[in-house]
Amino acid sequence: MKLAERYDIAAPIYDRTAWVLSLGGIDKLHPALVAGLELSGKTVADLGCGTGLAFPALIEAIGPSGRVIGLDNNAAILAKAEKRVTEHGWNNVKLVVDDIATTPLLPDIDVVFSCIAMSCVPDPSEKLDELLGNLKPGTVVRIIDALPRTRGFGFRAINGYNFLKSFIVGSHYKKLEPFERVFRERLSNVVVDSVHGGMYTRLTGVKA
């Protein structure tokens, strides 16, 4: 079954599945996505936004003068995001059906976010290199994803779980090994830390 078809089927239960597979971490990841960043009035892109689970945290952080551009390649999933936007009356959110692995970023974006989405892109480390190379200077990038770990408490168990989970969500876990290196090579002021007990890695940097 193709990944797109898998997500078509998963659309009705996407939110609950995300919570279960993240072991309840999805509620912690979205606050961690914006923590420590000055986003008021900024235009931010949420790559692989899914059903818009991160939108509440993003909307609160950017304020009424900011904008969110949510990008996802699955129309059924994005339809749920549109319903969420309508229900909350978020008139500063724009949704785009497109593939984050192929679409160029809009030039007026100030901050690029991605939460557990880049790992689902074929050849994610190569695509990251392409994305970061196309950003305008000064663009802030923050990505949270399940990168393979080499140290830390219980890292072997965490790696094992994320590897098994990759078969369910269709991610490319083994191809994420060069991800941090590419991030550091392309960006400046890079900070790498972990969230949700080390299950996920958070990478923050600025395009020089």
Side-chain angles (χ1 to χ4, degrees):
M1 181 183 296
K2 294 181 179 179
L3 182 61
E5 295 173 345
R6 188 182 305 178
Y7 275 83
D8 283 340
I9 295 173
I13 58 171
Y14 180 94
D15 293 359
R16 180 168 296 183
T17 301
W19 190 90
V20 171
L21 291 179
S22 67
L23 303 181
I26 202 71
D27 295 336
K28 301 177 179 65
L29 297 187
H30 298 140
L33 202 60
V34 300
L37 298 180
E38 176 50 58
L39 299 174
S40 180
K42 302 289 187 180
T43 296
V44 304
D46 184 4
L47 302 186
C49 66
T51 62
L53 288 172
F55 288 174
L58 296 178
I59 292 293
E60 182 178 359
I62 64 173
S65 60
R67 288 198 307 145
V68 173
I69 299 174
L71 188 75
D72 203 279
N73 69 343
N74 188 282
I77 294 289
L78 211 58
K80 292 198 69 175
E82 185 173 10
K83 181 179 179 182
R84 177 174 268 116
V85 169
T86 301
E87 289 176 347
H88 287 83
W90 293 327
N91 56 13
N92 56 345
V93 177
K94 177 183 179 181
L95 301 177
V96 180
V97 181
D98 210 336
D99 192 342
I100 65 175
T102 59
T103 189
L105 293 178
L106 301 176
D108 60 344
I109 290 175
D110 301 308
V111 186
V112 173
F113 290 108
S114 183
C115 189
I116 324 179
M118 288 297 298
S119 55
C120 294
V121 173
D123 300 311
S125 297
E126 293 180 16
K127 184 55 191 175
L128 175 69
D129 186 58
E130 180 183 337
L131 285 173
L132 299 183
N134 289 333
L135 297 180
K136 68 179 182 181
T139 303
V140 176
V141 182
R142 175 167 282 175
I143 296 174
I144 294 178
D145 221 315
L147 306 190
R149 301 190 61 197
T150 59
R151 59 187 181 277
F153 178 77
F155 78 92
R156 290 186 175 85
I158 292 171
N159 287 346
Y161 177 75
N162 283 327
F163 177 70
L164 291 175
K165 186 176 64 175
S166 69
F167 292 98
I168 301 174
V169 302
S171 66
H172 302 272
Y173 183 71
K174 287 192 172 182
K175 294 184 178 181
L176 287 167
E177 290 183 359
F179 202 88
E180 182 178 336
R181 174 182 56 78
V182 172
F183 200 89
R184 291 184 180 278
E185 290 175 350
R186 281 291 191 178
L187 302 179
S188 61
N189 301 324
V190 171
V191 177
V192 178
D193 54 10
S194 60
V195 292
H196 193 38
M199 180 174 291
Y200 296 98
T201 301
R202 179 173 59 181
L203 307 98
T204 308
V206 181
K207 180 65 181 290

